[in-house]
Amino acid sequence: MASKLNSELLQQAIETILAYSAGDEVEMDGKQVKGKKRNFTETIEAQYTLKNYDPVRDKRFSGTFKLPSVPRPNLKCCVLGNAAHCEQADRIGIDHMSVEDLKKLNKNKKMVKKLAKKYDFFMASDNMIKQVPRLLGPGLTKAGKFPTLLAASEDMQEKVDEQKATIKFQMKKVMCLNVAVGNVEMSEKDLIVNTQLASNFLASLLKKQWQNIGQIYVKSTMGPSIQIFF
């Protein structure tokens, strides 16, 4: 599907975001504004507002898409693994929990909630994934973090990197959607490609495609929002 994004506007927006996050002076609405460099890596998000869409009557949609460049490399993963997977996770420095560890939580809602909060996503061995609801209750599902299956034949590091590069659009009852498309350490080119692909993918999920997208803004965590689609 052809992108309806104006590549010049997108490029200008990304240049401004990167300059602002580096502490340089940028022009915003005709005024010069001094940026500020933060002591953490800011995430860059695309923010979408839908139009001609009824969240109550129209079909809800959800979809995942793997971006070519990892937008948030610092996402924390926990492997709920069998003995082999726990050993593998240990070797590559990924947190892991065994059946015994999960049993210790004793389905305690507070502890499961705390676990869900501690990690950005979970992966589980095939024999573990079936036991998660029984051992932990609905806590991870409620947090939108039910584990992704990690098959015995899959390379764990590759799977982790794939999950970090995957974005998810899920329509709830609001008309706004936000998704991470990158961070301020990335190159301008990679940010432009990620933003275009994420926007095209969202359009592909919508009934009237680009006609259902009203506005798109891009912004870094602490930076100003810049409109790239009207």
Side-chain angles (χ1 to χ4, degrees):
M1 188 201 313
S3 181
K4 293 279 173 80
L5 288 181
N6 180 320
S7 50
E8 212 173 292
L9 266 184
L10 176 57
Q11 188 177 345
Q12 280 174 359
I14 298 295
E15 278 173 11
T16 303
I17 286 169
L18 293 178
Y20 187 91
S21 72
D24 299 339
E25 205 166 85
V26 297
E27 193 177 312
M28 296 287 302
D29 301 325
K31 295 180 198 138
Q32 291 300 114
V33 183
K34 180 89 173 103
K36 186 174 180 182
K37 188 165 173 56
R38 308 286 168 172
N39 57 0
F40 67 95
T41 301
E42 293 181 68
T43 296
I44 295 175
E45 270 192 344
Q47 303 173 327
Y48 302 88
T49 307
L50 302 184
K51 66 175 183 180
N52 306 328
Y53 183 88
D54 185 338
V56 179
R57 283 173 47 211
D58 287 336
K59 191 170 170 270
R60 298 274 172 94
F61 61 83
S62 79
T64 55
F65 183 78
K66 183 175 177 260
L67 293 171
S69 308
V70 174
R72 292 190 290 173
N74 301 332
L75 290 184
K76 278 194 84 176
C77 168
C78 181
V79 172
L80 312 178
N82 54 27
H85 274 151
C86 284
E87 198 181 306
Q88 207 181 331
D90 211 32
R91 278 203 307 273
I92 58 174
I94 292 169
D95 289 0
H96 52 84
M97 294 178 85
S98 64
V99 170
E100 296 312 313
D101 295 327
L102 296 184
K103 279 180 181 168
K104 283 177 198 161
L105 296 177
N106 210 11
K107 266 194 183 172
N108 180 312
K109 280 183 185 172
K110 270 188 181 169
M111 284 166 86
V112 174
K113 203 174 178 182
K114 200 174 167 187
L115 175 70
K117 226 175 168 180
K118 189 178 175 185
Y119 297 100
D120 297 293
F121 66 99
F122 294 84
M123 297 197 304
S125 311
D126 46 8
N127 64 324
M128 288 280 283
I129 209 157
K130 301 178 186 87
Q131 299 184 63
V132 168
R134 187 169 58 81
L135 292 169
L136 297 180
L140 292 187
T141 309
K142 276 184 182 168
K145 293 181 184 177
F146 191 79
T148 300
L149 176 66
L150 178 64
S153 58
E154 287 181 301
D155 181 298
M156 189 181 287
Q157 188 63 63
E158 269 180 31
K159 188 82 173 179
V160 168
D161 292 342
E162 184 185 305
Q163 288 301 305
K164 286 182 179 180
T166 301
I167 55 167
K168 183 176 186 179
F169 284 109
Q170 189 163 14
M171 187 61 200
K172 299 212 169 130
K173 288 178 185 171
V174 290
M175 298 284 278
C176 302
L177 296 150
N178 295 0
V179 70
V181 289
N183 63 73
V184 297
E185 300 289 317
M186 282 167 63
S187 73
E188 194 183 296
K189 186 180 168 224
D190 288 345
L191 286 165
I192 288 169
V193 171
N194 271 7
T195 307
Q196 284 173 329
L197 290 173
S199 305
N200 288 354
F201 178 66
L202 172 60
S204 76
L205 294 174
L206 298 164
K207 198 170 161 185
K208 293 181 180 168
Q209 301 189 341
W210 281 93
Q211 289 172 23
N212 283 131
I213 298 177
Q215 296 162 328
I216 305 174
Y217 288 83
V218 281
K219 82 178 290 296
S220 64
T221 311
M222 308 300 283
S225 293
I226 302 171
Q227 193 165 0
I228 55 167
F229 185 76
F230 298 81

